[in-house]
Amino acid sequence: MVLAEQPASFVYAPLRLMRKVMFEWLVAWFLVMLAVGFGWFEILRRRHLAAERRYAALLENANDSILTLDADARVVDVNREGERLLGASRGELAGRHWADLCPPEDRGDRGEDLELLATRGLLVVDHLRLRRPDGRIVHAEASGSVVRIGAQGVSLLILRDIMAHLEADWRQAAQLAVTAVLADAASLDEALPEVLESVGEALGWDWGGYWRLDLDAGGLRLIAHWHRPDFAADEFTAASRSLTLAPDHGLPGQVLARGEPSWIANLDGTPGFVRAAAARAAGLHAAVMIPVPLHGKVEGVMEFLHREIRPFDEALFEMLGSLGVQLGQFIGRNYIEKELAASVDQLRQAQKMEAVGRLAGGVAHDFNNLLTVITGYSELLLDRAVPGGPARTKLIAIKQAADR
């Protein structure tokens, strides 16, 4: 049996159907794989974004200040703690050179730090001074490293605020110094210059003075002062010495009247500051005044001034108040010692007078015994003497002398 020849379209139809199915299967597989790939890409992208957010949150909420510097050592970014430490916002800090964050006298050292960071890739500074826009100096420890991001390198600078530790050390040093001075001093006048210098140097003040209440003058008079060697204080000191501040007159007078310490972070526009012109000319901006109590009253006022605005420091304020009490105790003890010394002198004088009296009494007693014998014998001889004779006249003179 011979089959009839089939058309070509009929022969290739199954092949075409197979190709179509395979093509559709490949397209479906490709689409599935593309969907899976996009899914994984989205998962990885979200994980990457989450990691970036966690990293940014860690930097932002870190307890230390973190600055990012570009290749020219200019600030690119700073975290929240860095804004607090440096006293400026991100926008204000962005673009500033690293050395410009320090006082002018320290910028040469910062250039050496940058060279060390560039050559070694690491930086450690135990004590770094930074100057805030308000003029306040803060102290920090610094560590830095270079991080490569692509072809570029950025520097991460970590600053740790050590002001609290330093201030605690300074307060302790001031207290120890004042205690040593008061232990060796014999009087307030001898102690005051060293007390003012010890407190001023240890706690970073520029000028210090002690106002004593002068009852004859009717107010406070400046009796001792100190200033830093680099501070031109002659005019301000002269203006202070020329004043007699009655209670509630001038800043020390206000402290005298109220019996409470006072901290003024910025003296500009302060009511009752009678030395405002002299302070402005000297560049003084902050002040603290501490009463010195004695027997329930204010004996004097200790005053310190600074050339920079100095925000209120509770720990330092309390420490200065305790120094005022310590100084008052020294004054009271000094008064007691003087009164005791005077009493001892009076006792010694009384004992001397008593000894002299006893000696004189003994001598008088012995002398009276001798006179009694002379008087007795002169009376016996007068009874035997011839009336009107020369011997009787002499015996009468002897008896009269003894009777006296």
Side-chain angles (χ1 to χ4, degrees), residues 84-392:
R84 184 202 64 80
L85 178 67
L86 299 173
S89 65
R90 282 184 173 86
E92 293 170 333
L93 292 170
R96 293 188 61 184
H97 195 273
W98 153 241
D100 294 340
L101 302 178
C102 304
E105 59 271 20
D106 295 351
R107 290 173 186 172
D109 296 334
R110 302 293 74 81
E112 296 177 1
D113 294 340
L114 292 175
E115 292 180 6
L116 185 63
L117 182 60
T119 55
R120 297 188 179 181
L122 292 174
L123 172 68
V124 177
V125 181
D126 294 333
H127 190 177
L128 176 70
R129 299 199 314 158
L130 301 166
R131 186 183 182 92
R132 300 176 57 162
D134 60 5
R136 184 184 177 192
I137 300 296
V138 295
H139 301 258
E141 293 177 345
S143 60
S145 61
V146 177
V147 179
R148 293 290 175 184
I149 300 178
Q152 295 182 344
V154 297
S155 300
L156 285 182
L157 194 65
I158 301 176
L159 305 176
R160 175 165 295 176
D161 189 355
I162 60 173
M163 281 297 296
H165 300 292
L166 289 178
E167 288 172 350
D169 292 341
W170 295 338
R171 290 193 298 270
Q172 184 178 17
Q175 288 177 320
L176 292 176
V178 170
T179 300
V181 169
L182 296 181
D184 295 336
S187 65
L188 178 64
D189 293 336
E190 179 184 340
L192 279 177
E194 293 188 54
V195 168
L196 295 174
E197 181 179 0
S198 298
V199 175
E201 289 285 356
L203 301 180
W205 297 96
D206 293 310
W207 188 92
Y210 185 84
W211 299 79
R212 175 187 283 170
L213 180 60
D214 189 338
L215 297 178
D216 295 333
L220 293 170
R221 299 281 300 174
L222 183 68
I223 65 168
H225 75 281
W226 160 89
H227 65 85
R228 286 187 178 276
D230 61 346
F231 175 52
D234 293 343
E235 293 185 5
F236 182 78
T237 302
S240 300
R241 283 195 175 278
S242 66
L243 296 173
T244 300
L245 300 177
D248 213 24
H249 180 63
L251 300 183
Q254 293 174 5
V255 173
L256 172 66
R258 300 168 189 172
E260 298 178 353
S262 175
W263 184 296
I264 303 174
N266 190 351
L267 288 168
D268 293 343
T270 301
F273 188 31
V274 296
R275 296 167 292 162
R280 197 161 39 247
L284 294 170
H285 292 288
V288 61
M289 282 139 291
I290 305 298
V292 177
L294 179 64
H295 302 150
K297 298 181 179 179
V298 177
E299 194 277 343
V301 176
M302 190 164 47
E303 178 184 43
F304 292 96
L305 292 98
H306 201 279
R307 283 176 284 184
E308 297 175 354
I309 295 173
R310 194 156 185 174
F312 177 73
D313 186 331
E314 183 177 0
L316 178 57
F317 195 52
E318 292 179 357
M319 176 262 177
L320 289 172
S322 66
L323 284 184
V325 173
Q326 185 179 2
L327 193 57
Q329 292 173 346
F330 170 79
I331 297 172
R333 185 172 67 250
N334 194 249
Y335 284 159
I336 293 173
E337 289 175 353
K338 288 182 179 179
E339 292 176 356
L340 180 61
S343 299
V344 170
D345 289 340
Q346 292 176 358
L347 177 60
R348 288 175 179 171
Q349 290 296 330
Q351 290 174 341
K352 289 180 181 179
M353 293 303 296
E354 182 181 1
V356 171
R358 288 179 181 178
L359 177 62
V363 172
H365 178 71
D366 294 340
F367 194 63
N368 283 334
N369 291 338
L370 294 175
L371 290 177
T372 300
V373 174
I374 294 172
T375 302
Y377 278 107
S378 62
E379 290 178 351
L380 291 174
L381 292 173
L382 282 173
D383 291 340
R384 299 178 182 180
V386 178
R392 186 177 180 82

